[in-house]
Amino acid sequence: MQQDTYSCEYMLGDEFFKNSINAPDIRRGNLHVYLNVRKSAGGFILDFHALGQVIVPCDRCLDDLELDVDTVNTLNVKFGAEFADEEEVVTIPEEEGCIDIAWFLYEFIVLSLPMQRMHEEGECNVDMMSVLDRHSYHASEDVSSFQETKAVDPRWNELRKILDNN
């Protein structure tokens, strides 16, 4: 009797993110990936569950930031004449008969991360934050004194009249 389901596990470490995938968004990581492969009518269904932590640069101070990963994803694979990566289905050439899942794993992990990746308030690199403060505009600065020193182009005054009439 032929088995219709196959399960395996992978450990993704720093080597995966540095050399195997050359991941720019993730510096390091330690993830446990569970993969369940089910045979379907037109090919295979790959169910992934990745669990662990990754190290990414903080968007604010650029220091290492550890983020938890817990993502479940599905990849539908079918055989065809040539490779194609469509919305829902990945087609692999029949003569190859195998699929490299490394890039798909990386994409699933990156897409599970938040858009903004920052330390909690007060946990960023103090030196970097002081540099940012020196070069950042603060709303508390006296805007009126800035406006007085800068000559205003008279054309802007005409445009302001249009805004004031609406």
Side-chain angles (χ1 to χ4, degrees), residues 18-41:
K18 285 182 184 174
N19 298 331
S20 299
I21 210 70
N22 194 15
D25 294 330
I26 299 176
R27 292 179 175 167
R28 297 185 310 278
N30 186 17
L31 292 154
H32 196 110
V33 178
Y34 304 93
L35 172 60
N36 187 36
V37 180
R38 294 178 285 142
K39 191 172 183 179
S40 69

Side-chain angles (χ1 to χ4, degrees), residues 68-82:
D68 290 330
V69 173
D70 187 358
T71 183
V72 176
N73 302 91
T74 299
L75 183 65
N76 294 310
V77 179
K78 70 177 187 176
F79 292 106
E82 58 186 39

Side-chain angles (χ1 to χ4, degrees), residues 80-117:
E82 58 186 39
F83 181 83
D85 186 0
E86 299 163 6
E87 286 183 37
E88 299 280 328
V89 179
V90 175
T91 304
I92 57 172
E94 287 185 35
E95 62 271 0
E96 285 184 26
C98 64
I99 183 170
D100 183 359
I101 61 169
W103 185 254
F104 295 105
L105 277 170
Y106 172 71
E107 283 184 339
F108 294 151
I109 293 163
V110 168
L111 290 173
S112 75
L113 300 176
M115 292 276 290
Q116 290 188 333
R117 303 166 189 163

